[in-house]
Amino acid sequence: MAEKVTILIDGTVHEVECGTTVAAAVLNAGRSLFRRSVTGAGRGPLCGMGICYECRVEIDGVLHSRSCLVPCRSGMEVRTDG
Amino acid sequence: MSGETFDVLIIGGGIVGAACALEAVRSGLKVCVCEKGVIGAGATAAGMGHLVVMDDSEAQFALTSRSLQLWRDLADSLPVSAEYQVSGTLWVGADDEEMAEVGRKRSFYESRNVRVEVLDPRQLSEAEPHLRSGLAGGLLVPDDAVVYSPVVAKFLIDRANDAGAVLREGVTVSAIHPHGALFVDGTTVSAGVVVNATGSWSPGLTPGIPVQRRKGHLAITDRYPGFVNHQLIELGYLKNAHAVTSDSVAFNVQPRQTGQVLIGSSRQFGVDDPAIEAPMLKWMLERAVEYMPDLTGLKIIRTWTGFRAATPDSLPLIGPVEVEDGRLWLATGHEGLGITTSLGTAELLVDQILGRQSQIPTAPYFPDRSLREDIHHG
Amino acid sequence: MAERLMGDSVESDICIIGAGPAGLSAAVAALERASSVTVVDENVHPGGQIWRHDQIKGENPELRVLMNRLPRERVNLISSATVIAAPAKGRLIAETPHGATPISYQRLILATGARERFLPFPGWTLQNVTGVGGLQALVKGGLKIADQRIVIAGSGPLLLAVAAYLKQVGARVVLIAEQAPRRRLIRFGLSLFSNPARLGQALTLKRQLSGIPYLTDCYPVAADGEDKVRRVILQQGAKIWQVECDYFACSFHLLPNLELASLLNCGIEAGRVVVDNSQRTSEPDIYSAGEATGVGGLELSILEGRIAGYMASGNLPGAARLFRRRDRARRFARLLDQTFASTAVLRELPSDQTIVCRCEDVALGSLREHRSWKAAKLQSRCGMGPCQGRICGPAVEMLLGWQPDSVRPPALAARLDTLLLTAELAEGQNTQEWSKE
């Protein structure tokens, strides 16, 4: 079984398998809304490979991070617009 | 189209040409506007869209403050996408010398009924938490505003169009003369009054006018709402901006309604190449970071350049010039204030065409005022 | 392998952008003669899209074979790095989580791969509407997909490969809707008989997909749901019906990633990096290989990568040996493009209210009123958001016929301090190197 790391998603603790991308972890946490679009619509990942910028979240205080490109690390704090 | 006659033919579909077209058509004139490319895509799109009351000279104050009044009148009818926002200008003082300038500006504005507020270092950092510490203070001019200029230019053109002005887009003028223009496609348009409103291109159509291209660099970030609250300009800007013979940069940062941060500014004479120049961009960004260290971590999504149309005395050219076979009209030379003064320019121009009394004296902007032909060499 | 993430500078003789099949094949080939190569890749793990690291299955076996042939001590792999600018000849700037990394090179191989083509339809911005490869990438990145109902639509062989993958990992693939007409697919299927290996792959795939309906001439009319997609409305001929789902994966074949080639002034035609017989681009000392030169699948990518690697390391005979096989594989690539070209009916999918630019929420109706891309961008902000038109650009091209603009640095959103470093390295250079307008 894969090693686990603990991350915070919108203040809630989640245990995820090591190597999981932040995008997958957020979806696995039951959240499909990653960011609010400029007109307020809820959006989630589209391309899965860093092209579309739809999966942007705040990671450890850095706004606009492409969550599909970033693996979860222990203690990471993730904020969505949801 | 060929052979058609208008009262006024305006060359240039930037915000100045657009404002002039609307003012002229509203005053009952038969108007044609020509734009070689896209409406509002030149300096109008490149610039910051800062609506600011200036105090460099009485004439500059008169035109900018009259224009701000016209902007306030227009504001309610602007589309949301014009992003008109009264965010105010905050002039930032770094040291005692610049705070002396704050005092001078304050009395200048107050004596002319412009609201201002002097900020001490604590108030400054409360107003703009991302400014570095250790700054001396600032002067807030709360009624200055910000606008997204290309949308305004299009709005003014569409309004003029609706009122009967004819728009020729995507046509290049090869020559103008006092009674009309010749286009590269061989067509002509005749008019009683021909207005050159082509900004930094204007000397190409009217050789000999004292307008020079002054290049600027800009950069814009992704959306960081609340990062900056006011248009921020260092007061060293004045020292720099007046140095017309050399390149300069200034800390000049603007909050867009989108949450984006627009970062300026640089000034260069004698460069015609629109390419981004690494040394200038670096110098400009470093200056911005000097005032706002937290900018370093923000994501820049675009960089670009544009050309201001500069005159030796920093005042625009509004009115007729005598040429060989008659008079040509100018509405150009607005340098960095073209967005602000577009509305005032249109009013002054049409007043002169129709012989109307103007709200402010027109003489300081006459193209034939005493100007040194070219104070910049090299 | 020396993995490095630090923002210090890297000097290399041969630099390869992209650690997918083409890029890694180029590295293996180049290292037969070259003493070392640098490989820059945007992902955490090498493999590109097709060999993306899989949280469920681990490392791809084909990738493992290739990696085992790489003398790792001679490969400088820079992971999680996005190239954002080319400040001067022989120089690149990559942004990594640890800062900006300047990279210098003598010869460059662009193996930047492809991305999915997205076309707007009502509801395509709903949550859980993803790309086809996009959903696979999310699953490989750890998304739990077991028992989820998935509709796959769009175009291309990727639809089948991803369906097989998702089924294998426990998802319930409801159906596959391929927009291409049946007659084109039959012609394509027949062509496989000339290539036993491909035919074998196709038959294996067919077996894996047994029980999943594969509909041709079939396309999505809309996705529907409150915030998340709940159902997809499909059309096939006159028949229109809806299918319930948890995820809707949809994309219309692939598009080469051209931004870096464009930034480097490499010639681009018909949406592909132009290369000669030896994978040389129009720019001296810059080669390109794989999907960037035209979408052609794995075999072609590997062959092109090897040729580029041999050429860049001065091994001309090594390269020449592969030309014929490469040319044969390239014919297959052209056939792919023809087979899965989008039919005109897809242009009718979006309404005037359908969002085209997802970064700036610009609807199709507000684009139609403009005369050009430039005017539309200025007035509506379409394509002015952080993705810089990568998603809406191809859609706008198909819907309105406007061609994309040239790429200016930063090629992707970059930190201000990265840009400062870029400018520093560009100083003293001809400004044209930094940006041509």
Side-chain angles (χ1 to χ4, degrees):
Chain A
M1 202 60 214
E3 262 180 72
K4 303 266 186 177
V5 293
T6 302
I7 66 167
L8 277 175
I9 300 175
D10 295 326
T12 312
V13 176
H14 291 269
E15 209 174 52
V16 304
E17 281 162 28
C18 201
T20 302
T21 62
V22 172
V26 171
L27 287 167
N28 289 341
R31 293 166 173 273
S32 53
L33 191 162
F34 282 56
R35 71 175 194 104
R36 291 249 171 230
S37 77
V38 300
T39 60
R43 298 275 172 77
L46 175 74
C47 80
M49 53 184 76
I51 305 269
C52 73
Y53 284 73
E54 284 287 27
C55 68
R56 280 174 286 159
V57 295
E58 181 182 331
I59 300 179
D60 290 338
V62 180
L63 295 170
H64 309 306
S65 299
R66 287 175 286 171
S67 63
C68 70
L69 294 180
V70 181
C72 294
R73 282 181 300 270
S74 183
M76 191 177 249
E77 283 187 48
V78 177
R79 288 215 159 269
T80 71
D81 289 344
Chain B
M1 178 66 64
S2 203
E4 198 170 345
T5 300
F6 295 88
D7 295 329
V8 181
L9 170 63
I10 295 164
I11 316 298
I15 195 165
V16 171
C20 290
L22 180 57
E23 182 67 22
V25 77
R26 275 187 176 160
S27 303
L29 296 167
K30 192 178 170 200
V31 177
C32 177
V33 199
C34 303
E35 166 54 48
K36 69 182 163 85
V38 168
I39 294 297
T44 300
M48 285 186 129
H50 180 205
L51 307 179
V52 55
V53 181
M54 292 292 290
D55 62 343
D56 285 359
S57 62
E58 283 298 340
Q60 198 187 55
F61 172 79
L63 184 57
T64 53
S65 63
R66 173 65 191 155
S67 294
L68 261 286
Q69 183 54 53
L70 293 170
W71 275 104
R72 283 188 278 271
D73 296 344
L74 182 69
D76 285 344
S77 57
L78 286 174
V80 176
S81 56
E83 295 175 17
Y84 178 84
Q85 182 174 239
V86 184
S87 35
T89 304
L90 183 42
W91 300 91
V92 179
D95 53 28
D96 289 350
E97 189 192 349
E98 291 178 12
M99 285 314 282
E101 177 64 14
V102 163
R104 191 200 62 76
K105 282 174 100 71
R106 174 197 194 162
S107 49
F108 181 97
Y109 285 128
E110 279 183 342
S111 66
R112 288 163 185 79
N113 296 318
V114 175
R115 286 205 301 155
V116 295
E117 195 183 323
V118 174
L119 306 187
D120 65 22
R122 189 184 55 80
Q123 291 166 320
L124 180 65
S125 103
E126 275 169 13
E128 293 292 345
H130 290 288
L131 280 174
R132 73 168 166 87
S133 58
L135 291 165
L139 183 78
L140 176 63
V141 186
D143 298 329
D144 284 355
V146 164
V147 79
Y148 182 60
S149 323
V151 164
V152 178
K154 181 77 167 42
F155 168 81
L156 296 171
I157 280 283
D158 287 347
R159 280 266 175 121
N161 215 198
D162 293 345
V166 171
L167 171 63
R168 294 195 73 193
E169 213 178 341
V171 291
T172 303
V173 170
S174 57
I176 57 174
H177 55 83
H179 307 293
L182 173 67
F183 295 86
V184 290
D185 64 5
T187 59
T188 59
V189 170
S190 303
V193 168
V194 177
V195 182
N196 181 351
T198 59
S200 68
W201 289 279
S202 54
L205 287 176
T206 313
I209 58 173
V211 170
Q212 286 197 43
R213 287 158 83 80
R214 199 170 194 188
K215 184 174 173 179
H217 286 70
L218 284 144
I220 195 161
T221 69
D222 203 338
R223 295 176 183 235
Y224 299 92
F227 187 88
V228 180
N229 304 310
H230 308 85
Q231 174 97 27
L232 301 176
I233 310 179
E234 62 162 293
L235 276 166
Y237 187 81
L238 299 165
K239 309 167 197 164
N240 285 333
H242 285 187
V244 290
T245 50
S246 64
D247 298 348
S248 66
V249 298
F251 168 65
N252 187 346
V253 159
Q254 178 182 85
R256 302 298 315 177
Q257 207 173 59
T258 55
Q260 291 174 288
V261 181
L262 184 48
I263 305 171
S265 60
S266 72
R267 287 162 188 265
Q268 288 167 279
F269 275 123
V271 185
D272 276 329
D273 186 347
I276 288 162
E277 292 166 61
M280 288 307 293
L281 182 70
K282 178 168 172 263
W283 189 17
M284 178 183 90
L285 294 177
E286 278 172 345
R287 188 69 174 168
V289 168
E290 207 177 304
Y291 277 80
M292 273 198 143
D294 296 343
L295 282 172
T296 49
L298 302 198
K299 297 244 169 77
I300 303 288
I301 61 176
R302 236 180 350 271
T303 56
W304 69 93
T305 66
F307 290 94
R308 309 171 181 95
T311 64
D313 63 358
S314 301
L315 290 175
L317 309 175
I318 306 166
V321 277
E322 300 300 328
V323 292
E324 257 175 45
D325 44 354
R327 306 165 100 193
L328 272 175
W329 292 70
L330 301 180
T332 183
H334 296 78
E335 196 169 356
L337 292 170
I339 308 302
T340 299
T341 58
S342 56
L343 301 185
T345 296
E347 191 178 67
L348 290 181
L349 182 85
V350 177
D351 285 349
Q352 289 182 63
I353 290 172
L354 294 175
R356 292 190 307 216
Q357 179 68 37
S358 279
Q359 297 283 329
I360 59 170
T362 50
Y365 323 103
F366 285 164
D368 60 358
R369 67 185 179 266
S370 168
L371 278 171
R372 281 167 295 166
E373 185 58 27
D374 183 1
I375 62 163
H376 172 69
H377 302 279
Chain C
M1 188 169 325
E3 290 221 22
R4 53 188 310 160
L5 292 170
M6 296 310 290
D8 42 24
S9 72
V10 175
E11 292 192 11
S12 62
D13 183 26
I14 298 173
C15 178
I16 300 164
I17 310 299
L24 292 174
S25 300
V28 171
L31 285 169
E32 286 183 22
R33 289 211 178 161
S35 57
S36 70
V37 297
T38 296
V39 181
V40 182
D41 191 68
E42 197 165 25
N43 287 290
V44 181
H45 301 283
Q49 299 310 331
I50 188 161
W51 292 336
R52 177 181 283 276
H53 181 83
D54 192 331
Q55 282 291 104
I56 304 166
K57 299 182 174 182
E59 196 179 43
N60 178 286
E62 285 177 274
L63 172 63
R64 193 179 312 131
V65 170
L66 198 57
M67 294 300 277
N68 285 341
R69 292 175 54 202
L70 267 182
R72 301 199 174 197
E73 66 290 347
R74 295 198 279 134
V75 179
N76 182 10
L77 177 66
I78 307 173
S79 300
S80 300
T82 306
V83 177
I84 60 105
K89 189 167 170 52
R91 293 271 197 148
L92 299 172
I93 301 287
E95 191 166 81
T96 75
H98 304 281
T101 299
I103 297 162
S104 62
Y105 62 86
Q106 301 296 318
R107 278 168 295 273
L108 184 67
I109 300 174
L110 302 175
T112 49
R115 59 172 174 261
E116 294 180 90
R117 185 157 75 134
F118 296 102
L119 296 177
F121 50 84
W124 78 301
T125 54
L126 287 171
Q127 295 151 41
N128 290 8
V129 177
T130 67
V132 176
L135 184 58
Q136 186 181 36
L138 288 164
V139 173
K140 286 184 170 181
L143 169 65
K144 309 278 190 230
I145 203 74
D147 298 324
Q148 299 285 300
R149 296 164 305 167
I150 295 161
V151 173
I152 297 178
S155 203
L158 188 65
L159 270 51
L160 300 169
V162 170
Y165 173 87
L166 292 172
K167 185 184 168 199
Q168 206 178 8
V169 299
R172 291 159 55 192
V173 180
V174 183
L175 65 83
I176 306 167
E178 165 62 59
Q179 59 87 34
R182 188 168 189 80
R183 56 183 162 72
R184 276 202 229 151
L185 292 159
I186 290 170
R187 203 185 318 139
F188 179 73
L190 289 175
S191 76
L192 293 180
F193 284 96
S194 64
N195 184 330
R198 282 219 176 80
L199 185 62
Q201 288 164 11
L203 292 174
T204 308
L205 203 55
K206 187 167 187 295
R207 200 167 50 245
Q208 289 169 341
L209 291 172
S210 68
I212 302 175
Y214 181 64
L215 308 177
T216 59
D217 301 274
C218 183
Y219 51 88
V221 178
D224 185 36
E226 282 287 305
D227 303 314
K228 262 195 243 188
V229 64
R230 293 286 175 217
R231 60 199 72 82
V232 182
I233 294 109
L234 294 166
Q235 179 161 3
Q236 188 185 40
K239 185 182 165 200
I240 298 176
W241 76 106
Q242 62 178 44
V243 183
E244 305 279 315
C245 65
D246 300 304
Y247 283 92
F248 177 35
C250 183
S251 68
F252 296 86
H253 203 36
L254 302 172
L255 287 171
N257 286 322
L258 301 175
E259 286 74 19
L260 195 50
S262 172
L263 195 65
L264 291 158
N265 299 334
C266 298
I268 290 166
E269 271 172 33
R272 300 189 275 260
V273 180
V274 177
V275 287
D276 69 6
N277 206 32
S278 308
Q279 302 299 135
R280 277 187 293 233
T281 69
S282 63
E283 286 293 297
D285 301 318
I286 303 181
Y287 302 80
S288 185
E291 308 284 53
T293 69
V295 172
L298 183 58
E299 185 190 353
L300 179 62
S301 291
I302 290 173
L303 287 165
E304 289 193 353
R306 289 175 64 192
I307 291 170
Y310 284 134
M311 289 300 300
S313 58
N315 184 350
L316 273 56
R321 272 203 316 272
L322 300 172
F323 287 172
R324 280 188 56 194
R325 280 174 65 195
R326 188 263 327 266
D327 294 346
R328 219 166 32 235
R330 201 171 267 171
R331 283 196 289 276
F332 176 71
R334 299 298 174 258
L335 184 65
L336 274 178
D337 279 350
Q338 290 160 15
T339 305
F340 299 104
S342 294
T343 55
V345 69
L346 300 178
R347 268 186 229 130
E348 312 302 322
L349 299 183
S351 74
D352 276 359
Q353 287 72 43
T354 306
I355 299 281
V356 172
C357 170
R358 302 171 64 120
C359 292
E360 299 289 332
D361 281 358
V362 183
L364 179 59
S366 56
L367 291 175
R368 284 197 205 279
E369 62 197 55
H370 301 292
R371 290 164 21 112
S372 64
W373 201 194
K374 186 173 185 180
K377 280 182 139 180
L378 268 183
Q379 295 296 324
S380 73
R381 297 185 179 283
C382 185
M384 303 286 267
C387 99
Q388 308 265 38
R390 279 165 176 72
I391 302 297
C392 67
V396 161
E397 198 178 341
M398 168 153 178
L399 296 170
L400 297 160
W402 296 335
Q403 294 297 311
D405 292 349
S406 61
V407 176
R408 277 185 290 178
L412 273 174
R415 282 169 55 101
L416 188 146
D417 47 8
T418 302
L419 215 56
L420 270 178
L421 178 70
T422 306
E424 192 176 316
L425 292 169
E427 268 189 291
Q429 296 286 331
N430 182 347
T431 54
Q432 295 300 318
E433 299 284 352
W434 163 269
S435 162
K436 68 178 170 95
E437 193 71 13

